Amino acid sequence: MTALLMRPPTMPIHPDTMLMRRNTLLMRPLTMPMRLVRHFPEASFNLASKQALEQSLTPEKIQGEIAHFQRRPFYEFPYGVAWLLQLAAELHEWNHPQGKEWQIVLEPLEKLIAGNLQRWIDALKIPNRTGMHNQTAFALGLMLDWARITKNTDFTELVENKARQFYLNDRNYSLQFEPLGYDFLSPGLAEADLMRRVLPTTAFTDWLTDFLPQIPIENSANWLEPAKVDNPQDYTQSHFWGLNLSRAWMLEGIISGLANSDRRIKTLRSTAVHHRHNGLTDVVIEHYAASHWLGTFAVYLITNRGLQGQII
């Protein structure tokens, strides 16, 4: 964790979020420095983080993004725009004059994206169940967190209803088939992490029993092993580092949706710790295949973003 936080947060983290074009904003990279500024105000990297944000969150650049999304309303849906809403959520939560200034600057783009997303979600007929950018469950989870933070009840209801439509009747999912390819998200755990946001504790407990019946009730960290990377310079294999990090926060999210007495928690927690350790050990690698995006995943994990009762 210390090595990660000492790295300059100004480098691009993921060009997939918003492609490098004129007036572009790399929204996922901006989410990481924004979160670091809020959580570590006295850290040595705080000034560099603020400078990166100041250079990007300008009216001119936001207008460039608005023009682009007016021409291509569903660009980078759902993954890229879900991270954009996470950036907006950070600003809504941050009770600081600078944060409020940036929130006002970002607000027109936030509203445009939210409107486009409502149309996109409403028209969505089947979920994408892969482990990469187009996955539906992970994006819906980020969007739902934003909607609740901003008290957007219509959007909240839309996402909750769509989650129930897609996933409520799922049964007997096998994590042993994952990763499905070069995944950086677990389709099964992302679905469970979404449903714990949607269902009350008792209903989620029953749903999880039906969906993942193989979770051991004894403390078994070997139930789900972290993915291994053989070639750190292979871009696609680097996804497995992200998979370990995202599995860790999804497992922690699942735990937060269960009663404290649930006998599966020991296994889930041991597995989460195992994945957290493996993911954070490798996150400081310097090769571009991993370094341009893993920092965002690591910060999301270590600051408990998305968890009930999170620090804000």
Side-chain angles (χ1 to χ4, degrees):
M1 174 174 172
T2 302
L4 165 68
L5 296 180
M6 290 302 293
R7 296 180 67 192
T10 55
M11 65 181 181
I13 308 266
H14 205 324
D16 294 347
T17 307
M18 298 286 162
L19 294 182
M20 292 296 291
R21 60 178 191 274
R22 187 175 59 184
N23 293 329
T24 195
L25 288 178
L26 297 180
M27 291 301 173
R28 181 159 123 182
L30 292 183
T31 304
M32 182 180 84
M34 183 66 70
R35 190 126 183 100
L36 292 174
V37 164
R38 289 186 58 212
H39 280 257
F40 307 98
E42 304 302 323
S44 60
F45 51 72
N46 194 277
L47 178 60
S49 296
K50 286 183 177 179
Q51 290 173 342
L53 293 163
E54 288 171 353
Q55 291 170 8
S56 296
L57 293 175
T58 67
E60 295 76 17
K61 289 186 176 179
I62 294 298
Q63 285 303 313
E65 293 297 314
I66 289 172
H68 184 83
F69 278 102
Q70 287 172 337
R71 294 191 301 270
R72 300 179 63 187
F74 303 127
Y75 179 73
E76 288 291 340
F77 274 46
Y79 183 78
V81 292
W83 282 109
L84 185 150
L85 293 183
Q86 282 289 298
L87 173 62
E90 292 289 340
L91 291 171
H92 280 278
E93 291 180 319
W94 193 24
N95 186 22
H96 187 279
Q98 181 64 78
K100 297 308 175 187
E101 289 181 18
W102 286 332
Q103 181 186 338
I104 292 170
V105 171
L106 187 64
E107 186 176 24
L109 178 60
E110 178 188 7
K111 288 183 175 180
L112 176 62
I113 293 298
N116 291 351
L117 270 171
Q118 284 187 287
R119 290 188 289 141
W120 183 85
I121 295 170
D122 190 56
L124 198 61
K125 301 302 181 186
I126 58 173
N128 183 300
R129 297 176 182 271
T130 64
M132 297 182 69
H133 302 83
N134 290 329
Q135 186 195 113
T136 304
F138 172 67
L140 289 182
L142 295 188
M143 295 171 197
L144 184 56
D145 289 345
W146 165 83
R148 288 173 173 168
I149 288 167
T150 59
K151 298 179 171 57
N152 189 327
T153 55
D154 290 342
F155 199 101
T156 297
E157 183 177 353
L158 175 64
V159 174
E160 289 177 344
N161 289 340
K162 192 63 71 169
R164 290 187 179 95
Q165 174 190 334
F166 286 160
Y167 306 116
L168 189 60
N169 295 318
D170 285 359
R171 300 288 186 272
N172 297 314
Y173 184 86
S174 178
L175 288 170
Q176 303 311 312
F177 290 112
E178 294 187 12
L180 305 180
Y182 290 110
D183 295 351
F184 57 85
L185 301 168
S186 162
L189 295 182
E191 178 176 337
D193 194 33
L194 171 64
M195 294 306 288
R196 61 91 179 168
R197 291 170 162 96
V198 173
L199 300 175
T201 298
T202 300
F204 176 67
T205 298
D206 294 339
W207 178 88
L208 187 66
T209 299
D210 292 334
F211 181 61
L212 292 175
Q214 73 274 32
I215 300 176
I217 60 173
E218 70 276 7
N219 187 1
S220 177
N222 296 327
W223 164 64
L224 182 65
E225 289 291 340
K228 303 298 183 183
V229 175
D230 298 321
N231 181 5
Q233 297 185 12
D234 184 331
Y235 181 91
T236 52
Q237 281 196 41
S238 73
H239 280 185
F240 291 156
W241 286 319
L243 177 64
N244 292 334
L245 293 169
S246 62
R247 278 179 175 178
W249 80 58
M250 290 170 186
L251 288 162
E252 292 172 0
I254 292 166
I255 292 169
S256 76
L258 297 171
N260 291 336
S261 59
D262 195 294
R263 297 174 66 191
R264 294 166 290 190
I265 287 179
K266 288 185 178 180
T267 289
L268 292 170
R269 183 169 290 119
S270 295
T271 307
V273 169
H274 196 26
H275 280 76
R276 172 188 281 254
H277 174 76
N278 275 267
L280 292 177
T281 297
D282 294 321
V283 80
V284 294
I285 191 167
E286 293 300 325
H287 195 276
Y288 179 78
S291 64
H292 74 290
W293 65 283
L294 280 177
T296 303
F297 271 39
V299 171
Y300 189 95
L301 170 64
I302 65 176
T303 60
N304 298 325
R305 190 55 164 163
L307 286 182
Q308 298 170 6
Q310 68 205 43
I311 301 171
I312 60 175

